[in-house]
Amino acid sequence: MSLQRQVPRVLDEEHRTHLHLLDRLERSLARGQEGDLAALAPALRRMVDTEVLRHFAFEEDSLFPRLLEAGDVGIAALLTQEHADIRDLCEELRPLLQALCERAPTPAEAQAFKPLAFELVERMVSHIQKETMGLLPLLDDLLDEAVDGELALAYANG
């Protein structure tokens, strides 16, 4: 996919970074190697605590209203609902990731972490695919050069 506008390109780069991390997480979970999970925990916590929430807020506050104005109600509604579901999942994962960052997890924490982490992988990968195939091309067509530049700068500074 060849994106022309800055905003879709930046979001696509973030998606690729998240997909790489999620792939590493999924492989570590499948192998059952807790040492790998501990090594991934800081990056996962950063993704959950800041990157995902910042990315979602930017889309909801700055991009989805533009989609609604253009008549693309369905995709904005679907992605907003997915954001809410992923945020809820991240809230459940946050204390477990914190524990993984600080120490070896207790057996109960490890048992609780695995299904939540698999769910995060599943939901995020599916969500990113929808954004990559639906949202980003729409934005590439919808945003003019001036608005794209303003939004890209706002996102970079936000």
Side-chain angles (χ1 to χ4, degrees), residues 53-66:
L53 297 179
R54 179 176 166 269
H55 184 109
F56 287 0
F58 174 72
E59 290 174 346
E60 291 169 5
D61 296 342
S62 300
L63 302 178
F64 293 175
R66 295 173 196 289

Side-chain angles (χ1 to χ4, degrees), residues 56-123:
F56 287 0
F58 174 72
E59 290 174 346
E60 291 169 5
D61 296 342
S62 300
L63 302 178
F64 293 175
R66 295 173 196 289
L67 291 175
L68 295 173
E69 287 174 16
D72 291 309
V73 176
I75 193 164
L78 173 66
L79 296 175
T80 298
Q81 181 58 55
E82 288 185 359
H83 286 178
D85 295 341
I86 292 169
R87 279 186 186 107
D88 290 345
L89 178 58
C90 287
E91 284 301 313
E92 288 184 71
L93 269 170
R94 190 168 280 112
L96 298 169
L97 285 169
Q98 184 66 34
L100 272 173
C101 287
E102 295 172 354
R103 58 178 166 69
T106 66
E109 289 169 335
Q111 185 176 359
F113 179 77
K114 190 171 183 173
L116 292 172
F118 271 126
E119 184 177 352
L120 179 68
V121 169
E122 179 183 325
R123 286 183 182 269

